[in-house]
């Protein structure tokens, strides 16, 4: 005699089965809500109000497609993006490619360590250089969790920090809702001078981040291995779409909240030229609790993103050069430039924005190989990109490259 299983119980079991496989995209999503995003989005909102809302929407839609392609490459081939580049490039090309990837990793760590240092200064009045050292040490602890206990515990820690980041940055929008009509008006693509183009490039560089493109292929490969062709792979790819979609939705909401908070609360003020002054302005306008949540969100952002960035840097080096170095040495390689910036007294907010522009220039080096490889039938088999997917991916590469060229032109000519 067979026993019928209630449909609701089957649905719950299916949801749990899917939920267990989620996670890699949430680790990659930390790169999309790092301190570089904070500096770029708050600066954009404070200086230009709702003008660049469309940039955040466009950047997050682009990010969702890019991250899925990276995850798909790892699932289908069982290799990371840097490993595929290594296998298909000559030694001189590999070395040059690794050099630019290391430069991008340093720019990434600059943003994340500086952001953590600013947060510790806001919360505990610690000197920036001490805050940078503490941020680096804590990131090593988080990396030790990944090394000793595996990816799943690391994912849980990072997802917890993502929740803190979301609460910290979205609280101000809940406390003081922005104008819906002006937000809708910001969806019309346009610029207003060289500085708005610089900020748009910084916002895209802070959203579609090169190290996240490299990393996602490793995260899915390490979590699921090389997926068996057929139904098992199709299921994992379908779940990966959910994983990427949900993670990018959260990251996009956080980024939009940053800009809307700045546009609504800080717009029109001439004393908001740094994260510190933005924090003070939020405290004056919305109260100490909103300012506290903002600082806590920034701290969680710095700690989580610098850990993920260092993880990506190690993976890139191992993939391209087949070499790995001790955790402490790897951490110091990218940490030292950030500490030098803090010790030199350079404006940390400006350093954050410039670092995001550097990241934006590194995106084509990650994106173009990714699109080429995932559109190669000999490599991807039946899971090769659809024509529409290819067209969209190449369009994304063209938009980012074109925006960077426009930025160079406007900066050189002074327009």
């Amino acid at each position: 005699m067979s026993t019928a299983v209630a449909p609701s119980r089957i649905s719950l079991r299916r949801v749990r089965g899917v939920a267990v496989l989620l996670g890699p995209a949430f680790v990659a999503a930390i790169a999309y809500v790092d301190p570089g995003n904070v500096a770029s989005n708050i600066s954009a909102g404070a200086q230009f109000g709702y003008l660049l809302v469309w940039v955040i929407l466009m950047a997050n839609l682009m990010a969702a497609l890019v991250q899925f392609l990276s995850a798909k490459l790892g699932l289908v081939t069982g290799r990371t993006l840097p490993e595929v580049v290594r296998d298909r490039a000559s030694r001189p090309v590999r070395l040059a490619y690794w050099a630019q990837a290391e430069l991008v990793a340093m720019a990434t760590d600059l943003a994340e360590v500086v952001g953590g240092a600013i947060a510790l200064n806001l919360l505990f009045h610690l000197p920036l250089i001490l805050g940078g050292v503490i941020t680096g040490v804590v990131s090593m602890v988080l990396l030790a969790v990944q090394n000793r206990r595996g990816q799943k515990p690391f994912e849980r820690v990072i997802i917890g920090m993502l929740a803190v980041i979301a609460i910290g940055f979205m609280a101000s929008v809940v406390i003081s809702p922005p104008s819906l009509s002006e937000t809708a008006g910001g969806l019309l693509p346009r610029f207003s001078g060289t500085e708005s183009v610089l900020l748009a490039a910084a916002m895209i560089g802070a959203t579609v981040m090169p190290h996240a493109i490299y990393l996602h292929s490793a995260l899915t490969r390490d979590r699921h291995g090389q997926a068996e062709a057929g139904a098992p792979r199709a299921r994992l790819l379908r779940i990966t779409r959910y994983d990427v979609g949900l993670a990018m939705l959260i990251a996009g909401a956080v980024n939009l909240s940053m800009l809307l908070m700045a546009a609504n609360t800080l717009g029109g003020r001439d004393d908001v030229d740094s994260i510190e002054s933005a924090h003070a302005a939020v405290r004056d306008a919305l109260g100490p609790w909103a300012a506290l949540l903002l600082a806590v969100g920034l701290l969680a952002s710095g700690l989580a993103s610098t850990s993920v960035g260092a993880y990506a840097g190690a993976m890139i080096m191992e993939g391209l050069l087949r070499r790995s170095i001790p955790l402490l040495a790897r951490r110091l390689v990218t940490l030292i430039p950030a500490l030098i910036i803090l010790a030199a007294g350079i404006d940390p907010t400006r350093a954050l924005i410039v670092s995001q522009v550097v990241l934006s220039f590194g995106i084509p080096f990650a994106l173009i190989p990714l699109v080429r490889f995932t559109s190669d039938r000999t490599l991807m088999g039946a899971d090769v990109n659809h024509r529409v997917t290819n067209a969209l991916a190449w369009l994304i590469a063209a938009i980012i490259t074109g925006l960077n060229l426009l930025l160079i032109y406007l900066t050189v000519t002074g327009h």
Side-chain angles (χ1 to χ4, degrees):
M1 180 177 178
S2 61
T3 303
V5 180
S8 60
R9 187 172 299 176
I10 294 175
S11 299
L12 182 60
R13 190 176 300 166
R14 185 175 300 168
V15 169
R16 286 176 177 171
V18 171
V20 167
L21 297 176
L22 300 179
F26 287 81
V27 176
I30 286 293
Y32 295 86
V33 290
D34 78 345
N37 293 82
V38 180
S40 300
N41 293 333
I42 289 180
S43 294
Q47 292 183 45
F48 298 102
Y50 299 84
L51 178 73
L52 299 178
V53 167
W54 67 273
V55 176
I56 287 182
L57 178 62
M58 181 182 73
N60 278 274
L61 289 175
M62 293 192 298
L65 176 59
V66 169
Q67 293 304 135
F68 175 72
L69 292 182
S70 178
K72 183 171 75 166
L73 180 70
L75 284 174
V76 173
T77 67
R79 289 179 285 172
T80 67
L81 177 55
E83 287 173 342
V84 180
V85 171
R86 179 197 67 206
D87 294 342
R88 298 195 167 206
S90 63
R91 180 176 175 78
V93 172
R94 286 200 305 272
L95 290 174
Y97 194 91
W98 170 75
Q100 67 82 28
E102 281 295 337
L103 180 62
V104 166
M106 288 182 184
T108 300
D109 225 25
L110 170 63
E112 294 155 352
V113 173
V114 169
I118 292 174
L120 288 170
N121 176 262
L122 293 175
L123 289 168
F124 306 110
H125 307 291
L126 296 179
L128 288 175
I129 184 66
L130 178 58
V133 171
I134 292 174
T135 301
V137 170
V138 173
S139 71
M140 287 189 63
V141 173
L142 295 177
L143 288 170
V145 171
Q146 194 276 334
N147 282 345
R148 295 182 180 181
R149 299 193 177 183
Q151 187 170 323
K152 286 187 178 180
F154 181 68
E155 285 179 3
R156 294 190 189 104
V157 172
I158 296 300
I159 290 172
M161 287 192 167
L162 180 61
V164 173
I165 294 167
I167 293 171
F169 288 114
M170 297 176 73
S172 295
V173 176
V174 174
I175 294 172
S176 179
S179 166
L180 293 179
S181 61
E182 291 188 82
T183 301
L187 295 174
L188 178 65
R190 62 197 189 279
F191 294 110
S192 179
T194 304
E195 185 67 16
S196 67
V197 178
L198 173 66
L199 284 172
M203 291 162 70
I204 291 176
T207 304
V208 187
M209 296 189 73
H211 78 282
I213 299 175
Y214 296 122
L215 179 62
H216 208 151
S217 58
L219 291 170
T220 52
R221 190 276 310 271
D222 293 345
R223 173 69 107 82
H224 305 301
Q226 182 175 1
E228 181 183 347
R233 183 184 295 172
R235 177 172 179 265
L236 279 177
L237 288 173
R238 185 171 61 253
I239 291 172
T240 297
R241 289 190 186 94
Y242 299 148
D243 192 27
V244 171
L246 184 57
M248 291 301 104
L249 180 63
I250 294 172
V254 172
N255 280 318
L256 183 60
S257 295
M258 294 177 197
L259 186 143
L260 294 181
M261 177 275 292
N264 183 42
T265 307
L266 313 178
R269 297 183 56 149
D270 56 7
D271 59 344
V272 181
D273 56 358
S274 67
I275 292 179
E276 295 92 335
S277 58
H279 176 265
V282 168
R283 183 183 59 232
D284 294 341
L286 303 179
W289 281 107
L292 175 64
L293 289 172
L294 179 67
V296 170
L298 178 63
L299 179 59
S301 171
L303 295 176
S305 57
T306 194
S307 304
V308 172
Y311 180 16
M315 181 274 301
I316 291 168
M317 174 180 281
E318 187 171 352
L320 287 171
L321 304 183
R322 283 199 176 100
R323 292 181 181 177
S324 59
I325 61 176
L327 177 63
L328 178 59
R330 175 73 234 178
R331 175 72 283 189
L332 290 176
V333 166
T334 53
L335 181 62
I336 288 175
L339 295 180
I340 292 174
I341 292 291
L342 291 173
I346 296 173
D347 177 20
T349 300
R350 190 66 182 178
L352 283 174
I353 294 174
V354 172
S355 73
Q356 301 313 295
V357 177
V358 173
L359 292 178
S360 186
F361 283 94
I363 294 170
F365 291 96
L367 183 55
I368 291 174
L370 175 66
V371 179
R372 285 189 60 191
F373 295 149
T374 53
S375 61
D376 185 346
R377 187 171 293 277
T378 62
L379 184 65
M380 301 295 292
D383 294 299
V384 67
N385 291 343
H386 189 275
R387 291 179 181 177
V388 175
T389 303
N390 268 340
L392 290 174
W394 285 119
L395 178 61
I396 289 171
I399 289 173
I400 293 173
T401 303
L403 184 58
N404 289 331
L405 292 175
L406 177 61
L407 173 63
I408 293 172
Y409 170 77
L410 291 175
T411 303
V412 170
T413 59
H415 286 83

